[in-house]
Amino acid sequence: PQLGVVLIGIEEADLRAFPESAELRPHLLCTGFLSHDVTLGVLKKLDLFVRPTYFDGDANSVREAIALGIRVVASATDYRPTEAVTFPIGDAAACADAVRKALCLPVPSLLPRPSNSNSLATIEELYRRVYAALPIEALHASTMSVKMTVTSAFQQKG
């Protein structure tokens, strides 16, 4: 009943072109342009992030919201992560249904971060092997598998 919507990138004056939004305006916060770090701060406070675009690729905002543990609803454009609840492009009723569905989902936990316990050792081993012109097809690191071909440029020592 007290639904609030933050419209990032939209100015209050932009809403005047939509008289039907008048009764919703007390529940809308138009931020205008925000810097990326401020936008991430706003995202952290949301229960749900909605990206209802007509054209989109792999949107960073969708991935950032998911990484922050926020439920996401997005139009079914070219690519969406499986964590996002999608709806057909331009279908407002389906968007509303997707919002209801997403709000009923449990709040996701933050995505697990890769352990950095081996990352420094892995990078050091990678550089050592490249410098020594050794094969690097399989580094013994738990967090990553590296497959690459060492070119003659890398095989030359300093």
Side-chain angles (χ1 to χ4, degrees), residues 85-96:
V85 176
T86 60
F87 63 93
I89 296 168
D91 188 336
C95 178

Side-chain angles (χ1 to χ4, degrees), residues 1 6 9 11 14 16 46 55-56 67 80 94 97 104 123-124 139 143 153 155 157:
V6 179
E11 301 286 343
D14 297 335
R16 291 189 194 113
L46 301 178
F55 305 98
D56 216 356
R80 295 294 185 211
D97 287 342
C104 291
I123 292 170
E124 287 174 340
L139 293 176
T143 59
Q155 292 174 353
K157 294 184 181 179

Side-chain angles (χ1 to χ4, degrees), residues 44-76:
K44 289 178 185 179
K45 302 288 186 187
L46 301 178
D47 294 313
L48 177 73
F49 176 73
V50 181
R51 184 157 176 101
T53 59
Y54 285 94
F55 305 98
D56 216 356
D58 186 9
N60 284 341
S61 59
V62 169
R63 289 191 171 275
E64 289 169 336
I66 290 168
L68 290 169
I70 300 161
R71 294 171 279 208
V72 172
V73 169
S75 52

